Amino acid sequence: MADQYQFNTNEEKIVKDSHTKEIDLINRDPKQINEDVVKVEFEDVIAEPDGTHSLDGVWKLSYTTFTVSKYWCYRILSAVFGIPIALLWGFLFACISFCHIWAVVPCIKSCLIESQCVGRIYSLCIQTFCDPFFEALGKIFSSVRVALRKEV
C-alpha cells in the first residue's frame, strides 16, 4: 500500500511539474524558431548611401525614434493581445492534439489493418494463379539456349 501511495505521489509530481515548468526569462527563443525572421534593426530598414546623408541630429533622432517605437509598440501589443492570442493558440493545438489522438491515429491504424488483410488476399491470389503460370513458362523456356557471336 505504501509503494502504491509513493507511486501515485511521484506520478502526480510529474504531472504537476509538466504544467508548472519554469520559464527562462532571459532566453525566450531557446529553439531559435524566430532567429532569422523578426530580427529587424534600424540598419536593416533605413540606410543612406554615400553622397545622400541627412543631418547628423536627424539621423540620430530617427534611430532613437525607430528603436524606441518598435520596442514600446511590441510591448503594448504583446500586453494587450498576447494572452488572448496565447489562449487561442493553446485551444487550437489542443484541438489538433485531440483530433490526432482520437481520430487520425485510429483511422491510420484501421487502414493498416485493412490493407494487411487485402495484402494477404492479393498474395494468396498471386501464389495460386501467377506462380504456377510463371513456373510453367520457366520450364518451357529453360531449354532455350542463346549463343552470342561477335562478327568482326
Side-chain angles (χ1 to χ4, degrees), residues 120-137:
R120 287 183 184 147
I121 293 170
Y122 177 76
S123 176
L124 182 63
C125 289
I126 294 295
Q127 289 172 357
T128 303
F129 300 111
C130 294
D131 283 356
F133 174 72
F134 287 112
E135 281 181 30
L137 282 178

Side-chain angles (χ1 to χ4, degrees), residues 8 17 24 26-27 31 44 47 63 65 75 79 82 84 90 93 99 112 122 128 132 134 140:
N8 288 340
D17 289 344
D24 185 3
I26 304 299
N27 183 12
K31 296 184 181 179
D44 299 328
Y63 174 81
T65 304
R75 288 266 172 133
F93 282 107
C99 289
L112 286 173
Y122 177 76
T128 303
F134 287 112
I140 290 171

Side-chain angles (χ1 to χ4, degrees), residues 7-130:
F7 177 73
N8 288 340
T9 304
N10 289 341
E11 189 175 284
E12 289 172 3
K13 184 178 180 184
I14 291 169
V15 171
K16 183 179 178 187
D17 289 344
S18 69
H19 293 293
T20 60
K21 182 174 112 176
E22 289 292 324
I23 296 176
D24 185 3
L25 294 176
I26 304 299
N27 183 12
R28 297 188 184 190
D29 191 8
K31 296 184 181 179
Q32 298 178 344
I33 60 174
N34 291 317
E35 187 65 28
D36 57 343
V37 178
V38 291
K39 265 187 153 177
V40 179
E41 300 296 330
F42 179 76
E43 295 84 12
D44 299 328
V45 178
I46 300 172
E48 291 180 334
D50 288 337
T52 310
H53 288 185
S54 61
L55 299 172
D56 291 343
V58 171
W59 186 252
K60 289 178 185 177
L61 189 59
S62 297
Y63 174 81
T64 304
T65 304
F66 177 88
T67 306
V68 171
S69 64
K70 183 183 93 165
Y71 176 81
W72 281 107
C73 184
Y74 179 78
R75 288 266 172 133
I76 292 168
L77 286 172
S78 62
V80 172
F81 297 110
I83 293 173
I85 291 175
L87 179 68
L88 289 174
W89 282 118
F91 180 75
L92 175 72
F93 282 107
C95 290
I96 290 170
S97 297
F98 177 83
C99 289
H100 189 78
I101 291 167
W102 292 99
V104 174
V105 172
C107 183
I108 290 171
K109 192 61 130 175
S110 173
C111 289
L112 286 173
I113 291 170
E114 293 300 321
S115 66
Q116 286 176 351
C117 180
V118 170
R120 287 183 184 147
I121 293 170
Y122 177 76
S123 176
L124 182 63
C125 289
I126 294 295
Q127 289 172 357
T128 303
F129 300 111
C130 294

